[in-house]
Amino acid sequence: MAKRVLIVFVTACLLAACSSSRRGGASASGSFSVYDKKAVACYYADKFNGRKTASGEKFSNSKYTAAHKKLPFGTKVKVTNKANDKSVIVTINDRGPFTRGRDIDLSKKAFMEITDNKNHGMLNVIIEVAK
């Protein structure tokens, strides 16, 4: 019995050690191709929490999601802040933004992870699409 418990424990430790840390649901070291080098990102207002997205999912500002006008739903996108080189990986689940000059709407959680100025609502970013 003790031997079986030890085997299960060692196996669990090995599995935990081999798992990768994921931000936004995809590995940051994955393969991406540049989609837009001169994009502008903004973030959703809290009033959209709980509303349905264009994909039918319920929106949550605490998840790693984004809206884009053309990219297919479910697309994994790496968004990098050009000012500080911080990046986040999000999943496209909505359409927008519908304000001229803006290219991608990030959830608040994703936006706050890559910004240095929490009081500024727009960032110049690079958008890369997972291969």
Side-chain angles (χ1 to χ4, degrees):
M1 177 68 177
K3 196 174 193 178
R4 182 177 280 176
V5 171
L6 181 62
I7 290 171
V8 170
F9 177 75
V10 170
T11 303
C13 288
L14 287 172
L15 289 172
C18 292
S19 68
S20 63
S21 174
R22 292 177 179 228
R23 246 187 344 177
S27 174
S29 62
S31 182
F32 292 87
S33 59
V34 175
Y35 180 82
D36 190 346
K37 288 184 180 180
K38 296 180 179 181
V40 176
C42 53
Y43 66 92
Y44 282 89
D46 287 328
K47 71 179 183 178
F48 293 104
N49 270 322
R51 294 187 186 179
K52 272 193 172 183
T53 64
S55 68
E57 292 179 38
K58 194 176 191 181
F59 176 72
S60 172
N61 249 332
S62 62
K63 293 184 179 178
Y64 291 95
T65 59
H68 193 272
K69 292 176 192 145
K70 296 179 182 175
L71 290 171
F73 296 138
T75 302
K76 297 284 186 190
V77 176
K78 181 177 178 182
V79 181
T80 304
N81 182 344
K82 292 169 80 171
N84 63 16
D85 209 35
K86 290 182 182 178
S87 63
V88 66
I89 297 171
V90 296
T91 304
I92 302 297
N93 74 338
D94 203 4
R95 291 290 169 236
F98 299 107
T99 302
R100 180 173 289 170
R102 297 181 186 176
D103 302 293
I104 191 166
D105 265 337
L106 299 173
S107 64
K108 197 171 195 176
K109 182 173 187 171
F111 186 92
M112 292 303 166
E113 192 165 303
I114 63 172
T115 190
D116 285 333
N117 185 351
K118 309 287 186 202
N119 298 317
H120 195 265
M122 293 193 321
L123 297 172
N124 291 316
V125 299
I126 299 169
I127 299 174
E128 299 171 86
V129 177
K131 290 183 182 177

